[in-house]
Amino acid sequence: MSRNYVIIDASEVSSVDFDQVLETSADTLRYNIAGTKTFVKFEGDTPSFLVGKTANTHTEMLAILAGEEWTDPNAGP
């Protein structure tokens, strides 16, 4: 079963049902550099709180996370 990744605004974290996604809590989420967005991943049917949002494949998500919004180009290895 393939995983899907959905980017959400940081303000939406409180609406995440962690029983329906692969992350365990708000503390395990990765945020963009500005701290305004994060993402959750899930397998199978789209959780109800994510319906209508854009789901990305693993490959798509890797490309997004490699961008400057998510990865500081000045950070060391």
Side-chain angles (χ1 to χ4, degrees):
M1 183 176 303
S2 64
R3 288 186 178 172
N4 292 291
Y5 301 76
V6 176
I7 296 172
I8 60 172
D9 290 333
S11 62
E12 297 176 88
V13 170
S14 61
S15 69
V16 173
D17 180 350
F18 287 98
D19 291 332
Q20 296 184 45
V21 296
L22 298 175
E23 290 73 26
T24 57
S25 72
D27 296 330
T28 62
L29 297 174
R30 176 179 170 183
Y31 289 83
N32 66 348
I33 293 172
T36 58
K37 295 180 183 177
T38 187
F39 65 93
V40 293
K41 56 186 173 284
F42 63 92
E43 295 176 340
D45 294 335
T46 303
S48 59
F49 65 92
L50 295 175
V51 170
K53 298 188 179 296
T54 301
N56 299 287
T57 65
H58 184 253
T59 301
E60 291 168 335
M61 199 65 202
L62 287 176
I64 291 167
L65 294 177
E68 289 184 8
E69 183 177 11
W70 293 87
T71 302
D72 184 350
N74 300 315

